[in-house]
């Protein structure tokens, strides 16, 4: 198998945007960008622009959702109609329902939900511009917004995808690499403990490639995790 691209970490790849195989797209994260939300964050990575608002913990009025001994963490992922090349039809679809669900599942292990019985914490993720990797961008930004809201957490959750494009295992797939590539592997983790809270895979990887992709994604997560921390420090000082 041609995997020399991963052997030394020094070679550059033939990626369309000129990145090395283990290079993230340029990114920035800002906390506390919305006045009316309890917590908020803005994240850009490559051509993705994502805004997150967090409300709560607050009383949950829907009795069938209420948990007597903990809060529920509800996430809503939405893509703006103008966020993609072909206008996206407004409103929820199968994809956004799936991403909302996996986002909630990826964030839940980090949040001390048991501190807020019968409550809800609501996370709204708005994708303003999309360029591949929006579910990961949403999770990473949501975690910063939860911290900004003062929600007690065991750790941040940070997400990043790796995958295979042009026969090469690469970090942080662009939209082109996602659409034309051979595999996409979004990963979310808690950087302090190393616990993985989301693992999805689309496409085909050999066992060896899978392990390399996980390692790349986890390294990418750690770099993004530093930017999450910095975003909170920039807002509140250290
Ligand atoms: N995309 C699009 N139209 C859609 C949904 C997605 O153009 O209705 C693009 C968008 O750039 C997105 C990419 O396809 O980031 C990959 O989508 P995927 O479902 O793999 O999720 P993501 O990688 O964004 O988490």
């Amino acid at each position: 198998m041609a995997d020399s691209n991963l052997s030394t970490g020094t070679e550059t790849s033939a990626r369309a945007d000129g990145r090395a195989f283990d290079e993230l797209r340029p990114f920035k994260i800002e906390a506390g960008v919305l006045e009316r939300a309890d917590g908020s964050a803005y994240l850009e990575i490559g051509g993705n622009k994502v805004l997150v608002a967090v409300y709560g913990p607050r009383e949950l009025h829907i009795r069938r959702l209420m948990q007597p001994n903990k809060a529920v963490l509800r996430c809503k992922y939405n893509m703006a109609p103008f966020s993609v090349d072909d206008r996206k039809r407004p409103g929820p679809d199968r994809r956004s329902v799936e991403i909302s669900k996996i986002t909630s599942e990826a964030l839940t292990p980090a949040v001390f939900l048991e501190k807020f019985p019968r409550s809800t914490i609501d996370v709204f993720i708005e994708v303003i511009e999309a360029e591949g990797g929006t579910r990961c961008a949403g999770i990473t930004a949501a975690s910063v917004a939860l911290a900004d809201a003062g929600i007690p957490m065991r750790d941040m959750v940070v997400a990043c995808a790796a995958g295979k494009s042009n026969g090469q295992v690469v970090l942080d797939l662009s939209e082109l690499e996602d659409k034309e590539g051979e595999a996409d592997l979004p990963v979310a983790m808690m950087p302090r403990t190393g616990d993985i809270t989301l693992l999805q895979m689309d496409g085909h990887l050999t066992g060896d490639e899978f392990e390399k992709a996980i390692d790349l994604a986890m390294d990418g997560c750690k770099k993004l995790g530093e930017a999450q921390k910095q975003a909170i420090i920039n807002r509140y000082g250290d």
Side-chain angles (χ1 to χ4, degrees), residues 145-218:
L146 284 165
D148 182 49
I151 310 276
M153 291 193 284
R154 292 174 179 82
D155 196 358
M156 299 294 269
V157 179
V158 55
C160 181
K164 188 176 172 189
S165 170
N166 276 329
Q168 194 183 34
V169 178
V170 293
L171 177 63
D172 184 29
L173 283 86
S174 66
E175 182 180 85
L176 184 74
E177 289 171 331
D178 184 324
K179 287 191 173 149
E180 296 185 357
E182 296 90 284
D184 180 24
L185 186 93
V187 174
M189 68 181 284
M190 296 197 272
R192 201 167 46 81
T193 60
D195 290 346
I196 289 182
T197 64
L198 169 75
L199 181 59
Q200 295 189 290
M201 189 164 116
D202 189 14
H204 297 281
L205 292 174
T206 64
D208 198 29
E209 288 168 342
F210 177 79
E211 279 179 30
K212 284 168 184 162
I214 290 261
D215 286 347
L216 267 188
M218 289 178 81

Side-chain angles (χ1 to χ4, degrees), residues 48 77 79 83-89 93 95 98-99 127 129-137 161 173-175 178-179 184 186 200 202:
N48 295 303
Y77 166 103
M79 259 185 154
S83 65
V84 285
D85 280 341
D86 293 329
R87 178 182 178 275
K88 150 96 177 53
R89 197 165 169 232
D93 54 18
R95 178 177 172 278
E98 179 236 343
I99 296 179
V127 178
E129 282 185 7
E131 196 239 328
T134 58
R135 74 193 62 209
C136 291
L173 283 86
S174 66
E175 182 180 85
D178 184 324
K179 287 191 173 149
D184 180 24
Q200 295 189 290
D202 189 14

Side-chain angles (χ1 to χ4, degrees), residues 2-3 11 19 36 38 84 90 105 111-112 130 136 180-181 199 217 220 237:
D3 62 2
E11 302 93 327
R19 274 184 291 154
R36 295 196 175 87
D38 294 320
V84 285
E105 289 168 359
V111 183
F112 286 106
C136 291
E180 296 185 357
L199 181 59

Side-chain angles (χ1 to χ4, degrees), residues 34-60:
L34 299 173
E35 280 299 318
R36 295 196 175 87
D38 294 320
S40 59
Y42 175 71
L43 181 149
E44 285 182 14
I45 180 161
N48 295 303
K49 294 184 177 155
V50 177
L51 193 56
V52 178
V54 167
Y55 295 86
R58 58 187 179 180
E59 198 180 337
L60 180 55

